[in-house]
Amino acid sequence: MDKILENLNPEQLAAVTLPAQSALILAGAGSGKTRVLTTRIAWLLKTGQASTAGIMAVTFTNKAAREMMLRLSMLFPVNTRNLWVGTFHGLCNRLLRLHYRDAALPQSFNILDVQDQLSTIKRLLKTNNVDDEKYPPRNLMYFINGAKERGLRASDVDGQDDYERRMVELYGMYEEQCQREGVVDFAELLLRSCELLERNQTLREHYQERFRHILVDEFQDTNDLQYKWLKLLAGDRTAVFAVGDDDQSIYAFRGANVGNMLSFQHDFQVNNLIRLERNYRSYGNILDAANTLIAHNTHRLGKNLHTDAGDGEPIRVCESPSDLNEVQWILDEVGHLIHDGIPRSEIAVLYRSNAQSRVIEHGLFSAGIPYRVYGGLRFFERAEIKHAIAYLQLIDNPDNNAAFLRVVNFPARGIGARTIESLQEMSRLHDVSLYAAIPYISGKGGTALASFVRIIQGIRSEVKNMDLPALIQTVLDKSGLLMYYQKEKDGTDRVENLGQLVSAATQFLSEEGFLLDAPALVVEQAHAQQTVDNPLLTVDRVIEADVPLTMIMSPLAAFLTHASLEAGENQADEGQDALQLMTVHSAKGLEFDAVFITGLEEGLFPHENSVKENGGLEEERRLMYVAITRARKRLYLSYAQTRMLHGHMRYNISSRFLSELPEENLKWLAPRKQSVYSGIRKEPVAQFGQPAVSDKPFSGSFGKSSEWQIGQAVIHKKFGEGVIVSLEGERANIRARINFGRFGMKLLDLGIAKLERVS
DNA sequence: GACTATTGCATTTTT
DNA sequence: TGCAATAGTC
């Protein structure tokens, strides 16, 4: 048998060697999905069933795309040049750069990230005197993105009422503004590509002919627009190899549609559905728990993970009186794990929402345990980097008003709101960009603006023959950005980051295989000959010339694309061996020797907002499933009876997900009775059965005489388990507000309701 | 135009 | 509780 097929299990082998037809691979957590994907590509190439140019592989993250490339090149020597592996957005960008004319875009269109999009919308509302209280920019953004993700232009949306009709109108104005300024947002990359393929038969057929195999990773996370894009690219003849796991679909709130897995089987006439259920990651107890939990969901495609690894340790469950005690317990257990030789970087503490990390961080910090929190500001999202990028964008595309407004007066150069207003007036009047409207401004503002133009023009002429890192360095110097941050007292980090931008460019060039004196000219000529009638001229020339994408753009444009599509590392500095802290969402795709899932409380996990949403509970359960399946050897679950959240004490009952796990795989640990570590809170901590001093209702008149206390766990015949959150009223008619978790908050008269106390 | 006070807001977020 | 964004002041 072929060497690359060695050591595949029968299901993996079957998947890898499927005939050239569309197939759905249901790949469970830890079942070797990436291996199957990469081996499939290697197998197709090695057996001569496809050429590198004939394969496209789509992922959701740049990290996954890189990983795929890396593992592929280890399996099989490939020329990655004309292999289309990338994210949906990255590949769309590629299409649009190649066919910018047919897509009606300027050659150097810039890509808006979420921040840019929001400020673009804010600006739109402002210039059109729209009340941003009535139409919050954020809502409008969701509205626009939602429509785009369903494939709808403003002209396709029917507003149901006046309010919505106005939103549609604003959506239309936003479209026009972006078009004028030569910018596209993330959703636009997809939508524009779809429209390009839909309208242009020659182009569509060309790509359908070219890509005989399209492989899609994390298929359960595709939204409707991405699905449509795949359909357009695939046509009737392309074999789409979709790999996904419906049980790990946790991005419905962002438009992901698990239903695409069903549609896919139908629309692509899938005869081959292969389940990868053998798990190579976790021990039996962990898998049993995961299987049992997810079985509570309905409408699954169905799957059960199994392993040969044995049961392993039981899952440890801890009930703590408070969030502080929970942290203390984690600290204790982490100590044991480290003592057992597990590296800190192999221990993850997961939580449902970011707000929960604070207490954990504080505890780890006090205990002197190094940790790393995922999910902070990413490199390209930092203000100083965005400023530098804006200058670069302006060099690349002076019509980019968003970039212009960001830096026209940063560092401050005496261009105030009045000047900008008159500039906007002129821009409207003469139908040109803000930058192009500068000559129309006279007076003091005009002088200041003219000096800005001199800076930009100066940079432009100076950098003409420079390589990218030198270009960026020049921008940092000449824009005054570097000097600004050098003068600022807390600017050291920012200066350092700006320096890193230059290094990032150097790295980018080497990684992207830039050949600075390569056939850019060929491409330029091809573009010159490209016509609407013959859009393929460029494509063919580019493919034949074996030109990487970076060749059809200037190095600067390519770097800007990179900056927009890849926000950079999403974690604190690497290096030392540190505990990993992150939300369950960001843990997807990762694995650790030991995993703590914290805050397993009704209202937190499952989150109260999700429970109210249609299908929300099932998504929360999948989230829990993802969390559990991250663990290789040890799994720890915990919840706290009281938790400080948003400045208020919350009394929660344990998560229903805990009760959905099989008892035989769990080992309940005795709760720690007293908080050993102090210093976080000045006030005494609410202990079980004891009220927090800060809680007002308790200090009322009935306090001493009452047999009921805040925090008391109770059982109600109908509502089940609950916790007393507050008490009100006098003696005979005391009423209690009780949190019954899934039944919600109930106000019960304690004289009437029959409640049983739970210790 | 920079600094300060106030207000409102708090689920998750691959690009 | 803690922040981020905004309005208001010098």
Side-chain angles (χ1 to χ4, degrees), chain A residues 649-707:
Chain A
M649 195 63 88
R650 300 201 12 159
Y651 301 85
N652 293 319
I653 64 171
S654 67
S655 169
R656 72 190 75 191
F657 296 151
L658 273 175
S659 60
E660 290 173 3
L661 301 178
E663 267 313 312
E664 64 264 27
N665 300 318
L666 307 181
K667 182 177 174 188
W668 286 78
L669 304 172
R672 169 183 292 272
K673 286 294 175 205
Q674 225 184 339
S675 172
V676 188
Y677 108 82
S678 53
I680 292 187
R681 248 172 240 156
K682 292 175 194 89
E683 288 172 331
V685 173
Q687 295 289 333
F688 186 61
Q690 294 289 320
V693 170
S694 57
D695 269 297
K696 286 183 212 89
F698 184 74
S699 52
S701 55
F702 56 86
K704 281 169 213 139
S705 59
S706 171
E707 5 166 9

Side-chain angles (χ1 to χ4, degrees), chain A residues 30-89:
Chain A
S31 65
K33 149 197 99 151
T34 311
R35 183 157 182 225
V36 166
L37 268 168
T38 48
T39 314
R40 167 81 176 173
I41 298 175
W43 184 77
L44 288 172
L45 292 172
K46 199 164 183 181
T47 54
Q49 294 182 70
S51 64
T52 46
I55 293 178
M56 171 184 278
V58 201
T59 62
F60 275 87
T61 65
N62 293 297
K63 199 174 152 198
R66 275 196 302 270
E67 166 103 357
M68 205 182 282
M69 283 288 213
L70 183 72
R71 290 177 61 170
L72 178 61
S73 58
M74 288 184 334
L75 278 175
F76 189 75
V78 276
N79 175 8
T80 51
R81 263 296 141 74
N82 50 12
L83 192 63
W84 282 44
V85 176
T87 62
F88 277 100
H89 294 84

Side-chain angles (χ1 to χ4, degrees), chain A residues 299-472:
Chain A
H299 309 304
R300 297 173 59 217
L301 293 174
K303 184 167 41 58
N304 220 35
L305 297 176
H306 59 86
T307 179
D308 294 342
D311 292 343
E313 291 280 318
I315 298 166
R316 304 188 184 225
V317 190
C318 179
E319 176 189 65
S320 300
S322 77
D323 48 350
L324 296 181
N325 296 275
E326 181 184 40
V327 172
Q328 184 58 44
W329 174 71
I330 295 169
L331 253 32
D332 289 351
E333 293 293 348
V334 164
H336 294 145
L337 289 169
I338 291 171
H339 183 260
D340 289 352
I342 294 181
R344 286 190 285 265
S345 59
E346 277 301 332
I347 304 172
V349 181
L350 309 184
Y351 35 82
R352 173 65 240 266
S353 65
N354 287 306
Q356 289 165 252
S357 78
R358 187 179 306 279
V359 226
I360 303 170
E361 283 187 67
H362 198 121
L364 290 170
F365 187 81
S366 316
I369 298 174
Y371 63 90
R372 235 159 82 196
V373 188
Y374 283 65
L377 253 198
R378 295 151 103 191
F379 183 70
F380 286 108
E381 291 168 354
R382 294 172 188 280
E384 64 275 19
I385 299 300
K386 295 225 72 163
H387 280 128
I389 294 287
Y391 275 104
L392 294 170
Q393 286 176 326
L394 223 45
I395 302 288
D396 188 45
N397 168 21
D399 292 339
N400 187 334
N401 285 347
F404 178 87
L405 289 169
R406 188 175 188 105
V407 294
V408 67
N409 196 35
F410 192 91
R413 41 177 80 91
I415 300 170
R418 301 176 313 282
T419 308
I420 296 299
E421 248 168 66
S422 44
L423 188 60
Q424 278 167 331
E425 181 72 35
M426 283 300 139
S427 149
R428 233 186 331 254
L429 204 66
H430 296 90
D431 195 27
V432 290
S433 68
L434 292 173
Y435 188 83
I438 290 177
Y440 299 108
I441 303 290
S442 54
K444 220 172 109 201
T447 319
L449 283 168
S451 74
F452 179 69
V453 172
R454 271 198 300 281
I455 293 172
I456 298 297
Q457 293 300 346
I459 295 173
R460 286 194 145 192
S461 58
E462 195 168 336
V463 301
K464 268 216 172 88
N465 296 309
M466 279 186 184
D467 66 2
L468 187 59
L471 186 159
I472 295 175

Side-chain angles (χ1 to χ4, degrees), chain A residues 518-652:
Chain A
L521 193 64
V522 175
V523 179
E524 211 30 68
Q525 286 168 352
H527 272 305
Q529 293 169 39
Q530 185 187 32
T531 61
V532 177
D533 300 329
N534 195 355
L536 292 181
L537 202 56
T538 316
V539 188
D540 290 340
R541 293 290 286 271
V542 168
I543 292 167
E544 279 161 25
D546 198 14
V547 176
L549 171 72
T550 41
M551 269 310 103
I552 61 175
M553 292 188 256
S554 69
L556 175 57
F559 183 66
L560 289 174
T561 288
H562 170 78
S564 310
L565 292 180
E566 175 150 30
E569 279 300 311
N570 194 3
Q571 61 192 64
D573 40 316
E574 205 136 354
Q576 68 168 340
D577 181 29
L579 227 67
Q580 313 284 303
L581 267 60
M582 66 193 85
T583 63
V584 180
H585 280 92
S586 29
K588 192 179 155 211
L590 305 176
E591 55 181 274
F592 306 92
D593 281 344
V595 170
F596 290 81
I597 307 175
T598 68
L600 282 167
E601 294 139 40
E602 278 298 305
L604 239 200
F605 197 1
H607 198 279
E608 51 196 351
N609 295 356
S610 294
V611 176
K612 291 176 207 151
E613 282 163 22
N614 195 7
L617 183 63
E618 296 219 344
E619 176 141 324
E620 293 286 304
R621 194 175 280 112
R622 290 193 292 269
L623 200 49
M624 180 69 183
Y625 177 79
V626 167
I628 293 173
T629 53
R630 296 311 94 197
R632 281 195 282 254
K633 300 176 183 161
R634 308 275 198 104
L635 180 61
Y636 298 86
L637 310 176
S638 76
Y639 88 94
Q641 291 161 338
T642 62
R643 181 177 297 277
M644 196 61 116
L645 209 66
H646 306 317
H648 291 285
M649 195 63 88
R650 300 201 12 159
Y651 301 85
N652 293 319

Side-chain angles (χ1 to χ4, degrees), chain A residues 707-720:
Chain A
E707 5 166 9
W708 298 101
Q709 291 176 314
I710 286 166
Q712 171 72 56
V714 296
I715 287 184
H716 184 271
K717 231 164 79 196
K718 193 161 147 214
F719 305 132

Side-chain angles (χ1 to χ4, degrees), chain A residues 240-257:
Chain A
V240 177
F241 189 83
V243 180
D245 181 358
D246 53 329
D247 291 334
Q248 290 190 68
S249 160
I250 55 172
Y251 284 107
F253 73 94
R254 284 183 94 237
N257 178 11

